């Protein structure tokens, strides 16, 4: 998924900053049978970053909208450095055909955030374009089907 995001970056201690924001994009899904499908995705992001080392942790929640009647919900968390984070994406349920859905995938997030962070500077409206979110092995189950 290619994504764009926006939010705020606040220095919350002498050695840490926190990003509070939202990312959104279109997730393209290709099944093992070759079918290509898509969903609009919007995720909240809360990321803590150590200013000197640029190490950080991020977490948040996502909504994946296939159409107004079929929506999946998910949680994400990852650890890494500003601009690169690896972790887990977990489907937690949904509506319509995704009611009762569950699933998980390893998650990789890449962004140009590392060049946007400046120690000692708060950014009220940080805009991040052209990030990438990869779900390398998303397996989802639904009651009554896959």
């Amino acid at each position: 998924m290619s994504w764009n995001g926006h939010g705020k970056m606040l220095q919350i201690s002498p050695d840490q900053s926190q990003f509070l924001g939202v990312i959104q994009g279109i997730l393209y899904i290709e099944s093992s049978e070759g079918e290509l499908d898509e969903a609009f995705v919007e995720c909240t992001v809360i990321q803590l970053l150590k200013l000197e080392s640029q190490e950080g942790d991020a977490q948040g929640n996502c909504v994946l909208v296939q159409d107004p009647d079929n929506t999946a919900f998910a949680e994400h968390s990852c650890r890494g450095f500003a601009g690169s984070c690896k972790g887990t994406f977990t489907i937690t349920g949904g509506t319509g055909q995704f009611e009762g859905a569950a699933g998980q995938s390893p998650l990789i997030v890449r962004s140009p955030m590392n060049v946007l962070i400046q120690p000692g500077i708060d950014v009220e409206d940080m805009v991040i374009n052209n990030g990438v979110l990869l779900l390398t092995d998303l397996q989802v189950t639904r009651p009554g089907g896959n």
Side-chain angles (χ1 to χ4, degrees):
M1 175 179 103
S2 174
W3 58 263
N4 295 318
H6 66 277
K8 294 183 178 191
M9 178 66 77
L10 305 168
Q11 187 167 351
I12 59 170
S13 73
D15 63 344
Q16 271 193 327
S17 282
Q18 185 175 53
F19 174 76
L20 304 169
V22 175
I23 64 172
Q24 58 190 16
I26 305 295
L27 177 66
Y28 293 97
I29 304 159
E30 185 174 355
S31 73
S32 60
E33 291 81 37
E35 178 183 338
L36 186 65
D37 210 343
E38 67 272 346
F40 172 79
V41 179
E42 191 165 35
C43 300
T44 59
V45 179
I46 301 170
Q47 185 173 27
L48 286 173
L49 291 166
K50 295 179 183 176
L51 293 173
E52 189 171 317
S53 68
Q54 298 284 295
E55 292 176 83
D57 297 310
Q59 63 183 19
N61 297 85
C62 299
V63 60
L64 296 82
V65 180
Q66 190 173 44
D67 62 54
D69 297 323
N70 298 295
T71 299
F73 303 106
E75 301 171 343
H76 66 88
S77 63
C78 63
R79 172 170 277 179
F81 297 88
S84 180
C85 204
K86 294 181 179 181
T88 305
F89 185 89
T90 304
I91 301 290
T92 59
T95 64
Q97 69 177 359
F98 296 107
E99 186 174 346
Q104 194 168 45
S105 175
L107 163 78
I108 300 170
V109 179
R110 298 295 312 266
S111 79
M113 189 177 225
N114 58 320
V115 298
L116 301 173
I117 299 169
Q118 301 293 323
I121 297 175
D122 292 342
V123 181
E124 278 295 311
D125 190 20
M126 178 179 276
V127 176
I128 304 167
N129 291 317
N130 303 314
V132 176
L133 182 148
L134 299 172
L135 302 176
T136 59
D137 188 25
L138 181 60
Q139 302 291 321
V140 179
T141 59
R142 297 177 286 173
N146 286 333

